mmCIF file of all heavy atoms in Angstrom:
data_model
loop_
_atom_site.group_PDB
_atom_site.id
_atom_site.type_symbol
_atom_site.label_atom_id
_atom_site.label_comp_id
_atom_site.label_asym_id
_atom_site.label_seq_id
_atom_site.Cartn_x
_atom_site.Cartn_y
_atom_site.Cartn_z
ATOM 1 N N GLY A 379 122.016 125.682 186.377
ATOM 2 C CA GLY A 379 120.733 124.899 186.314
ATOM 3 C C GLY A 379 119.608 125.654 185.774
ATOM 4 O O GLY A 379 118.554 125.048 185.444
ATOM 5 N N ILE A 380 119.734 126.950 185.527
ATOM 6 C CA ILE A 380 118.628 127.736 184.994
ATOM 7 C C ILE A 380 118.559 127.819 183.472
ATOM 8 O O ILE A 380 117.477 128.141 182.892
ATOM 9 C CB ILE A 380 118.729 129.204 185.599
ATOM 10 C CG1 ILE A 380 117.266 129.770 185.577
ATOM 11 C CG2 ILE A 380 119.621 130.070 184.822
ATOM 12 C CD1 ILE A 380 117.154 130.984 186.469
ATOM 13 N N VAL A 381 119.650 127.505 182.808
ATOM 14 C CA VAL A 381 119.651 127.484 181.383
ATOM 15 C C VAL A 381 118.722 126.461 180.808
ATOM 16 O O VAL A 381 118.799 125.305 181.213
ATOM 17 C CB VAL A 381 121.098 127.281 180.812
ATOM 18 C CG1 VAL A 381 121.073 127.204 179.298
ATOM 19 C CG2 VAL A 381 122.052 128.313 181.272
ATOM 20 N N GLY A 382 117.826 126.809 179.857
ATOM 21 C CA GLY A 382 116.940 125.852 179.357
ATOM 22 C C GLY A 382 115.487 125.840 180.041
ATOM 23 O O GLY A 382 114.605 125.257 179.544
ATOM 24 N N GLU A 383 115.519 126.583 181.154
ATOM 25 C CA GLU A 383 114.194 126.632 181.919
ATOM 26 C C GLU A 383 113.280 127.634 181.318
ATOM 27 O O GLU A 383 113.637 128.509 180.623
ATOM 28 C CB GLU A 383 114.490 126.909 183.422
ATOM 29 C CG GLU A 383 115.225 125.886 184.147
ATOM 30 C CD GLU A 383 114.591 124.558 184.164
ATOM 31 O OE1 GLU A 383 113.372 124.575 184.482
ATOM 32 O OE2 GLU A 383 115.250 123.491 183.851
ATOM 33 N N THR A 384 111.962 127.526 181.700
ATOM 34 C CA THR A 384 110.976 128.474 181.195
ATOM 35 C C THR A 384 110.551 129.434 182.305
ATOM 36 O O THR A 384 110.421 129.057 183.430
ATOM 37 C CB THR A 384 109.670 127.641 180.716
ATOM 38 O OG1 THR A 384 110.043 126.707 179.702
ATOM 39 C CG2 THR A 384 108.605 128.552 180.256
ATOM 40 N N GLY A 385 110.371 130.598 181.887
ATOM 41 C CA GLY A 385 109.921 131.677 182.809
ATOM 42 C C GLY A 385 108.888 132.606 182.216
ATOM 43 O O GLY A 385 108.431 132.363 181.114
ATOM 44 N N VAL A 386 108.328 133.527 183.062
ATOM 45 C CA VAL A 386 107.314 134.465 182.661
ATOM 46 C C VAL A 386 107.790 135.901 182.867
ATOM 47 O O VAL A 386 108.330 136.181 183.973
ATOM 48 C CB VAL A 386 106.066 134.187 183.460
ATOM 49 C CG1 VAL A 386 105.001 135.161 182.922
ATOM 50 C CG2 VAL A 386 105.528 132.791 183.201
ATOM 51 N N THR A 387 107.570 136.721 181.886
ATOM 52 C CA THR A 387 108.067 138.169 182.064
ATOM 53 C C THR A 387 107.134 138.769 183.070
ATOM 54 O O THR A 387 105.855 138.623 183.045
ATOM 55 C CB THR A 387 107.958 138.862 180.692
ATOM 56 O OG1 THR A 387 106.615 138.862 180.183
ATOM 57 C CG2 THR A 387 108.881 138.280 179.661
ATOM 58 N N VAL A 388 107.733 139.618 183.989
ATOM 59 C CA VAL A 388 106.935 140.349 184.972
ATOM 60 C C VAL A 388 106.915 141.801 184.618
ATOM 61 O O VAL A 388 106.241 142.624 185.378
ATOM 62 C CB VAL A 388 107.526 140.169 186.402
ATOM 63 C CG1 VAL A 388 107.334 138.699 186.829
ATOM 64 C CG2 VAL A 388 108.954 140.574 186.540
ATOM 65 N N SER A 389 107.683 142.135 183.592
ATOM 66 C CA SER A 389 107.567 143.541 183.018
ATOM 67 C C SER A 389 107.903 143.406 181.529
ATOM 68 O O SER A 389 108.362 142.384 181.061
ATOM 69 C CB SER A 389 108.605 144.356 183.662
ATOM 70 O OG SER A 389 109.961 143.984 183.337
ATOM 71 N N ASP A 390 107.572 144.420 180.823
ATOM 72 C CA ASP A 390 107.906 144.365 179.425
ATOM 73 C C ASP A 390 109.473 144.321 179.148
ATOM 74 O O ASP A 390 110.154 144.998 179.964
ATOM 75 C CB ASP A 390 107.359 145.651 178.628
ATOM 76 C CG ASP A 390 105.899 145.700 178.604
ATOM 77 O OD1 ASP A 390 105.297 144.683 178.721
ATOM 78 O OD2 ASP A 390 105.363 146.937 178.559
ATOM 79 N N LEU A 391 109.912 143.551 178.261
ATOM 80 C CA LEU A 391 111.328 143.474 177.844
ATOM 81 C C LEU A 391 111.515 144.258 176.580
ATOM 82 O O LEU A 391 110.978 143.889 175.537
ATOM 83 C CB LEU A 391 111.692 141.949 177.585
ATOM 84 C CG LEU A 391 111.561 140.997 178.778
ATOM 85 C CD1 LEU A 391 112.175 139.548 178.352
ATOM 86 C CD2 LEU A 391 112.120 141.435 180.008
ATOM 87 N N ASP A 392 112.212 145.351 176.725
ATOM 88 C CA ASP A 392 112.347 146.320 175.596
ATOM 89 C C ASP A 392 113.867 146.769 175.420
ATOM 90 O O ASP A 392 114.026 147.984 175.661
ATOM 91 C CB ASP A 392 111.413 147.424 175.754
ATOM 92 C CG ASP A 392 111.269 148.307 174.490
ATOM 93 O OD1 ASP A 392 111.743 147.734 173.388
ATOM 94 O OD2 ASP A 392 110.860 149.414 174.607
ATOM 95 N N PRO A 393 114.756 146.050 175.100
ATOM 96 C CA PRO A 393 114.703 144.478 175.141
ATOM 97 C C PRO A 393 114.969 143.929 176.529
ATOM 98 O O PRO A 393 115.114 142.720 176.676
ATOM 99 C CB PRO A 393 115.693 144.179 174.168
ATOM 100 C CG PRO A 393 116.832 145.146 174.268
ATOM 101 C CD PRO A 393 116.135 146.452 174.731
ATOM 102 N N GLU A 394 115.234 144.742 177.567
ATOM 103 C CA GLU A 394 115.581 144.305 178.839
ATOM 104 C C GLU A 394 114.436 144.556 179.838
ATOM 105 O O GLU A 394 113.578 145.405 179.641
ATOM 106 C CB GLU A 394 116.822 145.035 179.399
ATOM 107 C CG GLU A 394 118.070 144.817 178.502
ATOM 108 C CD GLU A 394 119.243 145.522 179.052
ATOM 109 O OE1 GLU A 394 119.167 146.368 179.936
ATOM 110 O OE2 GLU A 394 120.417 145.201 178.538
ATOM 111 N N GLY A 395 114.405 143.754 180.919
ATOM 112 C CA GLY A 395 113.355 143.862 181.911
ATOM 113 C C GLY A 395 113.525 142.694 182.877
ATOM 114 O O GLY A 395 114.674 142.145 183.032
ATOM 115 N N GLN A 396 112.504 142.395 183.653
ATOM 116 C CA GLN A 396 112.544 141.357 184.683
ATOM 117 C C GLN A 396 111.593 140.175 184.258
ATOM 118 O O GLN A 396 110.574 140.332 183.648
ATOM 119 C CB GLN A 396 112.068 141.894 186.032
ATOM 120 C CG GLN A 396 113.164 142.777 186.718
ATOM 121 C CD GLN A 396 112.725 143.144 188.112
ATOM 122 O OE1 GLN A 396 111.562 143.451 188.300
ATOM 123 N NE2 GLN A 396 113.722 143.188 189.006
ATOM 124 N N ILE A 397 112.088 138.932 184.646
ATOM 125 C CA ILE A 397 111.235 137.748 184.410
ATOM 126 C C ILE A 397 111.315 136.913 185.693
ATOM 127 O O ILE A 397 112.207 137.152 186.587
ATOM 128 C CB ILE A 397 111.794 136.903 183.278
ATOM 129 C CG1 ILE A 397 113.178 136.336 183.632
ATOM 130 C CG2 ILE A 397 111.814 137.729 181.972
ATOM 131 C CD1 ILE A 397 113.626 135.170 182.588
ATOM 132 N N SER A 398 110.392 135.996 185.811
ATOM 133 C CA SER A 398 110.291 135.148 186.973
ATOM 134 C C SER A 398 110.699 133.646 186.570
ATOM 135 O O SER A 398 109.892 133.191 185.605
ATOM 136 C CB SER A 398 108.920 135.145 187.598
ATOM 137 O OG SER A 398 108.747 134.149 188.678
#
Side-chain angles (χ1 to χ4, degrees):
I380 205 167
V381 175
E383 295 297 315
T384 301
V386 179
T387 59
V388 295
S389 67
D390 294 336
L391 302 184
D392 189 22
E394 298 180 349
Q396 285 187 321
I397 67 171
S398 174

